[in-house]
Amino acid sequence: MPRRIVSDMAMVRGRTILLILALASPSLAHAADPIMTFAESAAFLAKNCGAEITANCRGVNLDSNRLKECLSRNQDVASPQCRANFLVPFDQIQKRINARAMVAQSCRLEIIKLCHGSTKETSKSVPCLMTAKGVSRNCTQATVDAGYR
Amino acid sequence: MRARNLSLRDLGLLLTFGVALAAASPATQAAAPPAPARDDIVNALNKFESGPELDLPTLKQKISERSKMRGKNEPEPAKRPLIVPELKDLPTFNLAIQFDVDTPIILPESYETVGRLADALVNSGLLPYTFLIVGHMDSNGKREANVILSQRRADALRDVLVNTFKISNKRISSLGLGEEQFIDQAHPTSPVNLQIQIVTLGKVPEQEPGATPAATPAAKKSAKKKK
């Protein structure tokens, strides 16, 4: 009996360590995941730091620079949950914005040959990229990442 | 079989409990309504053929002037004529975005809704269009202040879309109607009138203004080379 308790405890401890690892490294956990939508990022921020924003950042709007600055300035009074996660949504929003520039790169051939557009004005070719036949998998993924699809 | 019945009943109980909880929470706190689906916004706003040319600075002045009217003959709120009647015919989506009292600060409860709007504006279905963010107020409070607050709120939402989500500022403009044009004119005091409307206003110009002059000299050069 005692041996079993010991092994159970070890298992629980192992799980706890895994959980702590998962919580402590949010960027690692999201690395392989698809980029969050803007709505998911915004909801994630509100869920983890809503109370902190109301308490310490009243008067600051949903602004990448000012709100991030306010939250990091008030970290000492933030919940562990907010402290561990507040950078994630800003990072994800930036990734999704950057993904638009990747479309020009990943869809270069498609934009020029299939859509007769210019990579300098990618957004003009996007509606065409959605319906054109023969779009590469890379290009399709880029349009997904950018939120065009 | 028995176990299955039990689990189904348990599920039912859980669901009932969950619904009771969900129903109880708005009583303690004015909960934000759920964020709309991205495709609902896209499908409401992409049905655009053509729209009027709106002169926003002139409209803003007209709205501000009317909100200062103090005459005896001023109609009551429910009978005020529309100040921008053109908007009624354009594709529109209403968003229940919650702001802090008397400020243009969006509450965290509404972040998801704002993000959903940004997702819709980036989606290929809406990329060809330009939009107007329209702020409204109910008939509570001072008429003049309501125009100012609705304009500041519409501006704030526009700034978030442009600065945080990097939607092109050429695609979005903003206008505060205060209580000069209600969403629900029959009930001027209804909170329905506190919603923000997003309206499809036009099409993004086919070619950027700077693109044509840049292309012409290049064409000339190549023509010269051929000679």
Side-chain angles (χ1 to χ4, degrees):
Chain A
M1 258 322 242
R3 190 180 287 171
R4 173 138 185 233
I5 289 169
V6 168
S7 79
D8 274 0
M9 277 179 69
M11 250 180 77
V12 168
R13 194 178 296 159
R15 273 190 207 155
T16 315
I17 289 169
L18 273 178
L19 193 72
I20 288 171
L21 270 176
L23 284 176
S25 57
S27 51
L28 203 82
H30 287 287
D33 292 346
I35 302 172
M36 284 188 198
T37 64
F38 287 144
E40 284 166 350
S41 293
F44 186 91
L45 179 63
K47 183 176 143 244
N48 287 297
C49 299
E52 283 78 2
I53 292 166
T54 307
N56 308 320
C57 304
R58 222 171 161 169
V60 183
N61 238 330
L62 176 53
D63 179 287
S64 289
N65 297 324
R66 270 173 273 180
L67 190 54
K68 190 158 81 175
E69 193 271 330
C70 176
L71 285 171
S72 62
R73 185 156 35 84
N74 289 289
Q75 273 206 62
D76 51 339
V77 286
S79 66
Q81 189 187 328
C82 176
R83 218 177 303 155
N85 291 302
F86 84 96
L87 287 174
V88 175
F90 295 110
D91 180 51
Q92 288 288 311
I93 288 169
Q94 195 53 52
K95 280 209 172 104
R96 201 164 183 78
I97 292 166
N98 294 347
R100 287 181 214 161
M102 285 303 294
V103 172
Q105 231 170 298
S106 305
C107 303
R108 219 182 81 85
L109 277 178
E110 287 85 347
I111 288 171
I112 295 167
K113 295 214 167 149
L114 296 176
C115 300
H116 310 290
S118 154
T119 49
K120 281 181 184 154
E121 278 190 279
T122 317
S123 64
K124 294 266 159 66
S125 299
V126 169
C128 161
L129 288 176
M130 296 298 114
T131 50
K133 282 184 181 164
V135 172
S136 70
R137 195 199 276 182
N138 240 354
C139 170
T140 303
Q141 185 57 47
T143 57
V144 170
D145 289 345
Y148 291 144
R149 266 177 211 274
Chain B
M1 217 26 202
R2 196 181 139 80
R4 197 174 174 191
N5 281 342
L6 253 179
S7 71
L8 269 178
R9 201 175 61 191
D10 286 353
L11 193 74
L13 274 173
L14 270 173
L15 270 176
T16 322
F17 187 62
V19 167
L21 263 182
S25 55
T28 49
Q29 198 187 7
R38 182 196 71 178
D39 289 352
D40 286 348
I41 306 177
V42 173
N43 292 331
L45 296 177
N46 68 2
K47 314 235 172 338
F48 179 85
E49 286 304 320
S50 66
E53 288 280 327
L54 293 184
D55 179 359
L56 292 181
T58 310
L59 279 176
K60 280 179 194 173
Q61 200 180 346
K62 188 176 155 195
I63 295 161
S64 164
E65 274 165 16
R66 198 177 91 171
S67 75
K68 289 173 191 158
M69 294 287 209
R70 294 284 180 275
K72 266 187 189 171
N73 296 332
E74 268 302 292
E76 57 178 288
K79 288 181 180 157
R80 279 175 201 152
L82 303 180
I83 193 128
V84 194
E86 297 93 328
L87 295 180
K88 285 282 174 194
D89 304 324
L90 295 169
T92 302
F93 195 89
N94 294 354
L95 292 166
I97 293 175
Q98 300 195 328
F99 293 89
D100 207 353
V101 185
D102 286 335
T103 74
I105 303 297
I106 298 160
L107 295 179
E109 291 89 315
S110 291
Y111 281 7
E112 185 175 10
T113 299
V114 175
R116 208 47 72 64
L117 174 60
D119 283 326
L121 293 176
V122 167
N123 185 262
S124 66
L126 293 187
L127 275 186
Y129 305 111
T130 63
F131 301 91
L132 183 66
I133 294 168
V134 185
H136 291 269
M137 294 298 288
D138 58 24
S139 64
N140 302 315
K142 280 189 182 159
R143 197 172 163 185
E144 203 181 329
N146 278 339
V147 168
I148 296 168
L149 184 57
S150 69
Q151 181 69 55
R152 287 176 70 205
R153 286 180 171 174
D155 289 344
L157 180 57
R158 178 184 180 276
D159 287 349
V160 168
L161 292 169
V162 170
N163 297 332
T164 306
F165 299 108
K166 299 285 182 267
I167 311 289
S168 164
N169 62 5
K170 288 173 196 153
R171 290 180 63 210
I172 322 176
S173 42
S174 46
L175 184 66
L177 296 181
E179 52 176 290
E180 305 309 310
Q181 182 159 321
F182 295 103
I183 293 175
D184 179 4
Q185 180 147 24
H187 307 97
T189 55
S190 163
V192 167
N193 292 306
L194 294 172
Q195 291 176 104
I196 290 265
Q197 290 188 307
I198 175 126
V199 176
T200 313
L201 199 57
K203 289 182 180 168
V204 175
E206 264 311 308
Q207 255 183 331
E208 297 291 311
T212 332
T216 340
K220 272 181 189 168
K221 268 181 197 169
S222 63
K224 271 180 189 173
K225 270 180 193 171
K226 273 179 190 171
K227 279 180 186 176

